[in-house]
Amino acid sequence: MLSLVQSDIHRVGEVWLVGAGPGDPELISVRGLRLIREADVLVYDRLVSPQLLEEARDDAVMLDVGKRPGFHRVPQHEIEALLVKHARRGCKVVRLKGGDPFIFGRGGEEMLTLRAAGIPVHVVPGITAAAACAAASGFPLTQRKVADSVCLTTAHHSDDGDDTDWASLAADPQRTLVFYMGLSSLQRIQKNLGSHGMSPDTPAALIENGSYAHQRTITCKLKEIEQMAKQHNLQTPCLLVVGKVITLAQQARAAVEQASHQVSRSKMALGRNVAAAMMLTTAPALAGAADSDSVAEALAQGSTSISFRARSEQVDDDALPRDAVANTLRTRLTYRSGSWQSLSLLVEVDNVSYLGDDSFNNTRNGMIMRPVIVDPDGTDLNQAALRLERDRLTVTAGRQRLLRENQRMIGGVGWRQNEQTYDAIDVAYKPAEQVQLNYAWVDDTQRIFGPESGVPAASLDSDHHILNARWTVSPAIDVAAYHIALDFDDAAALSSATTGLIVSGAFDARENLRLDYRAEVAQQTDAANNPASFDVNYHHAGLGLTHAGWRIGWAHESLGADSSAGVAMQTPLATLHAFQGWADKFLTTPTAGMRDNQFSVSGVVAGFALQLHHHDYQADVSGLDYGKEWNIQLGRAIGPRYTLTAKYARYTAEQFARDTSKFWLMAEARF
């Protein structure tokens, strides 16, 4: 092992500077999408579409370095240092930037830094905002006899001051001017162009959220740009275009309005001999037809993907006379519509099939002499939700994933073939770039035991209220708070109220040595119709050191117990497999509570991602020794579509349960 680690330290990776395009995830290049799916490390900006981030591998390192006016999550020199550091660890690093990396994206600076460090760097161009916004607004940037050139410039300048050649910009009436990042500088732009001879009546366009479904284009005159931005409350990202080509968009809109007016007049003339009542009946139908066409177009513009996950799972539990073997295939079909009136639709269907006999207890087949492997077969509606996205607000209604923080309290149990999802309304709001607020109301919890009814229940009637708030104080400090009120109509003993606080972050302790930490405290009490009365505490403390691509970590987790009530803290909606060992011996916290001391090592060996964990389990209040557990996993991505995983868990009992071993082989493909 040591020789493999040492050889890997000196392996130099590569960095790809990839343009994500202006916002619409479908405007990225084919090569750019492939690289996202292959990346070991993805370093991304604020304006990158979340749908593109979902294309990354599950084991990829995701680094948000997004900037917003007045708030730089990570300074530019630190971004460049991150790229160098991860490349020197032998990683394939993708620097995903909005628009094009070399057009006001500081890609040139990053390229020079990487070259100076001796790191191979490649560039994948992207569609820049100027081209995308103009096209989406209905006018070209150049046009014969209207505009024979285009100038891309920025309203932001270096600390040396404003060195813009305003006289040159204003001199040529046949040139289209495009100002990036100009919303806060409209008064200065208007004043300088005007003072250098440009007519105040020159056509102008302000384009907010270019290429998105909720794009807004405000056309006006140069002298009106500041007034119109305030009147329409425009927000970043916003592009300013100045030039005669904008009249082409205005003419196009006028032509559409005129054609619509002519059609209306023809229909009125044709209907003069028809009763007035018939005309009144027809008018709403015509309006409805126009809306239907818009919805149909959004549906037609949607995208469909399919994935397959084949898995062999074997369990040897000394408490049962027979072993379990489950060979399963999950097929997942996902459809995402285009957007209409800021609304989009997501539908996802899962099918779990058995590849051979079901020689395991799937909780439905009555094989109680074999260990449980919760992968019942069948077809289920995994997600079906409408999403509204406007500015800083996102509302999702329907069956959906709810993944909060590290999924210790609210998760999706994505490891199982049948996922846990929720019938819910989820509201996300960002009052500022560094602040995120979430509220979810859950009406029904779709559990991993479905789709067939039985015991345990496939779904639970719920009346849950989940509140989360996160504040990124600095790149090294994240503060999060939550309140989770669970009310189960048909599982009263699981009803509870949990309030917690998390402080986490990461920073470079020295060159090539990164420290990460996490501290969490919470209190849980009975709630709603729970027959017990209890008050318990939760604590988590974790530290990690990363050097040359290898991380060594330690964590201590405590789920407290209330001895007088005979109750310990429970997290029934968590992704439980991710905590307290992969042997799944503690999916329900024992009544004496739980203390878990964990040590871990992770890194890359011969191209395989390695994880190694050791757990030492103790009771919280009784002093019982619950035993120890080793976990190991090797995984590798093969190109952008395929992933292979091997995983093993060995639990050694002491004064709780019986010895258990589990082994998995898994292959995934996404198309």
Side-chain angles (χ1 to χ4, degrees):
M1 173 69 76
L2 182 60
S3 62
L4 287 173
V5 173
Q6 288 175 338
S7 65
D8 192 61
I9 288 175
H10 301 289
R11 185 166 59 89
V12 177
E14 297 179 297
V15 177
W16 294 78
L17 305 179
V18 177
D24 184 340
E26 294 188 348
L27 293 181
I28 193 171
S29 66
V30 173
R31 178 181 289 182
L33 182 59
R34 175 176 61 81
L35 289 167
I36 292 173
R37 291 170 173 169
E38 293 177 351
D40 300 313
V41 180
L42 193 65
V43 184
Y44 60 93
D45 282 347
R46 174 176 70 95
L47 298 179
V48 171
S49 169
Q51 288 180 244
L52 290 179
L53 302 181
E54 291 176 2
E55 295 292 331
R57 290 171 14 209
D58 291 340
D59 61 341
V61 176
M62 308 290 286
L63 300 176
D64 180 2
V65 296
K67 300 176 181 178
R68 189 178 183 89
F71 179 73
H72 289 188
R73 183 187 300 273
V74 182
Q76 182 63 28
H77 71 277
E78 291 189 18
I79 295 174
E80 294 166 13
L82 282 173
L83 300 177
V84 171
K85 178 174 64 177
H86 285 286
R88 283 178 172 168
R89 293 171 178 167
C91 297
K92 184 171 188 175
V93 183
V94 169
R95 174 70 172 105
L96 192 58
K97 309 171 78 68
D100 182 274
F102 282 0
I103 298 182
F104 305 118
R106 306 191 74 168
E109 299 170 41
E110 294 169 1
M111 179 184 67
L112 293 175
T113 297
L114 291 163
R115 285 179 175 173
I119 294 169
V121 57
H122 316 274
V123 181
V124 178
I127 298 175
T128 189
C133 292
S137 299
F139 62 85
L141 292 174
T142 61
Q143 175 82 358
R144 290 183 61 191
K145 300 182 180 180
V146 179
D148 54 17
S149 64
V150 60
C151 174
L152 309 183
T153 185
T154 177
H156 283 195
H157 300 277
S158 66
D159 296 335
D160 298 334
D162 184 354
D163 54 0
T164 302
D165 186 352
W166 292 103
S168 175
L169 292 179
D172 186 357
Q174 299 296 111
R175 177 187 295 167
T176 303
L177 305 180
V178 182
F179 291 88
Y180 286 66
M181 300 167 286
L183 190 60
S184 62
S185 306
L186 294 178
Q187 185 180 40
R188 180 169 59 85
I189 294 170
Q190 178 183 319
K191 176 182 177 182
N192 281 292
L193 290 177
S195 64
H196 286 84
M198 180 172 283
S199 168
D201 293 326
T202 301
L206 293 158
I207 307 171
E208 177 193 74
N209 291 312
S211 82
Y212 281 105
H214 53 289
Q215 171 179 318
R216 288 197 293 169
T217 301
I218 309 300
T219 59
C220 57
K221 298 177 180 179
L222 175 63
K223 63 184 178 183
E224 300 169 332
I225 55 175
E226 184 182 18
Q227 171 194 344
M228 296 301 285
K230 291 179 179 177
Q231 178 180 328
H232 293 275
N233 192 29
L234 296 180
Q235 305 292 323
T236 59
C238 187
L239 200 75
L240 170 64
V241 185
V242 179
K244 295 179 180 179
V245 290
I246 294 161
T247 60
L248 299 175
Q250 295 168 332
Q251 291 169 8
R253 280 199 297 271
V256 170
E257 292 171 359
Q258 178 65 22
S260 175
H261 180 63
Q262 292 295 336
V263 168
S264 298
R265 290 185 60 186
S266 298
K267 287 183 180 293
M268 289 178 63
L270 184 63
R272 283 173 183 169
N273 296 323
V274 181
M278 180 65 75
M279 293 181 63
L280 292 173
T281 304
T282 306
L286 292 172
D291 287 342
S292 177
D293 289 342
S294 298
V295 172
E297 183 179 355
L299 294 174
Q301 291 174 349
S303 61
T304 303
S305 62
I306 190 169
S307 67
F308 303 94
R309 183 161 78 178
R311 181 160 67 203
S312 178
E313 181 171 348
Q314 304 174 33
V315 183
D316 178 1
D317 188 335
D318 286 356
L320 295 166
R322 297 183 179 181
D323 295 347
V325 178
N327 297 311
T328 59
L329 173 66
R330 187 193 71 191
T331 303
R332 171 170 289 172
L333 184 64
T334 306
Y335 168 78
R336 300 176 187 273
S337 77
S339 183
W340 174 77
Q341 298 293 320
S342 302
L343 286 169
S344 60
L345 173 68
L346 168 67
V347 178
E348 187 171 81
V349 177
D350 285 356
N351 172 266
V352 179
S353 300
Y354 294 157
L355 307 176
D357 296 333
D358 53 338
S359 54
F360 60 98
N361 181 359
N362 69 6
T363 74
R364 297 294 190 264
N365 57 8
M367 294 191 179
I368 60 175
M369 304 304 287
R370 297 183 184 272
V372 171
I373 298 178
V374 189
D375 283 332
D377 59 344
T379 301
D380 199 10
L381 183 63
N382 197 49
Q383 295 192 87
L386 279 173
R387 173 171 292 184
L388 173 69
E389 294 181 90
R390 287 188 176 173
D391 299 327
R392 301 170 184 265
L393 177 69
T394 302
V395 180
T396 308
R399 186 164 299 177
Q400 59 189 284
R401 292 186 183 94
L402 291 178
L403 310 178
R404 293 295 192 260
E405 302 300 337
N406 64 349
Q407 301 189 51
R408 187 62 183 96
M409 301 296 169
I410 306 294
V413 199
W415 170 248
R416 296 264 44 106
Q417 298 285 54
N418 186 31
E419 192 177 10
Q420 177 172 279
T421 55
Y422 304 84
D423 295 343
I425 298 174
D426 186 28
V427 181
Y429 178 62
K430 296 191 75 168
E433 178 60 26
Q434 61 270 42
V435 178
Q436 172 81 40
L437 304 175
N438 287 84
Y439 165 75
W441 172 71
V442 179
D443 177 61
D444 199 70
T445 304
Q446 304 296 321
R447 308 171 79 202
I448 61 175
F449 303 99
E452 182 182 335
S453 61
V455 179
S459 64
L460 292 174
D461 289 337
S462 309
D463 185 12
H464 305 332
H465 300 270
I466 303 167
L467 290 158
N468 293 79
R470 171 173 288 275
W471 175 31
T472 302
V473 181
S474 73
I477 305 174
D478 263 10
V479 180
Y482 56 85
H483 179 74
I484 302 168
L486 303 182
D487 182 355
F488 292 96
D489 291 342
D490 40 16
L494 297 178
S495 297
S496 64
T498 306
T499 303
L501 180 69
I502 307 168
V503 180
S504 61
F507 57 91
D508 291 326
R510 52 184 295 184
E511 187 176 0
N512 295 324
L513 184 65
R514 190 160 182 82
L515 173 67
D516 62 83
Y517 67 93
R518 181 183 180 88
E520 181 175 358
V521 296
Q523 181 183 44
Q524 185 177 92
T525 62
D526 58 281
N529 55 350
N530 195 316
S533 176
F534 63 91
D535 188 337
V536 295
N537 295 316
Y538 172 82
H539 301 93
H540 174 96
L543 290 172
L545 285 173
T546 302
H547 173 70
W550 286 85
R551 180 184 183 275
I552 299 175
W554 165 85
H556 173 79
E557 185 179 50
S558 173
L559 287 84
D562 187 330
S563 300
S564 61
V567 175
M569 180 170 183
Q570 304 292 334
T571 58
L573 300 185
T575 298
L576 293 166
H577 181 77
F579 303 92
Q580 296 165 3
W582 300 337
D584 293 335
K585 304 304 292 185
F586 304 99
L587 299 180
T588 298
T589 310
T591 56
M594 161 66 74
R595 294 181 183 178
D596 176 12
N597 284 294
Q598 178 188 176
F599 292 89
S600 62
V601 177
S602 60
V604 178
V605 178
F608 285 87
L610 168 70
Q611 294 184 49
L612 181 66
H613 303 266
H614 180 261
H615 297 265
D616 188 347
Y617 305 119
Q618 303 285 331
D620 180 55
V621 295
S622 68
L624 285 176
D625 186 345
Y626 287 159
K628 297 174 174 58
E629 183 172 338
W630 284 97
N631 299 152
I632 186 169
Q633 176 178 300
L634 284 170
R636 182 166 188 169
I638 303 174
R641 302 187 185 279
Y642 308 102
T643 305
L644 297 176
T645 304
K647 185 170 173 177
Y648 177 74
R650 173 62 179 173
Y651 168 74
T652 305
E654 292 292 342
Q655 298 167 299
F656 183 87
R658 298 288 294 274
D659 290 0
T660 301
S661 297
K662 292 189 176 186
F663 177 68
W664 300 266
L665 281 175
M666 187 166 69
E668 295 182 82
R670 298 187 298 176
F671 303 94

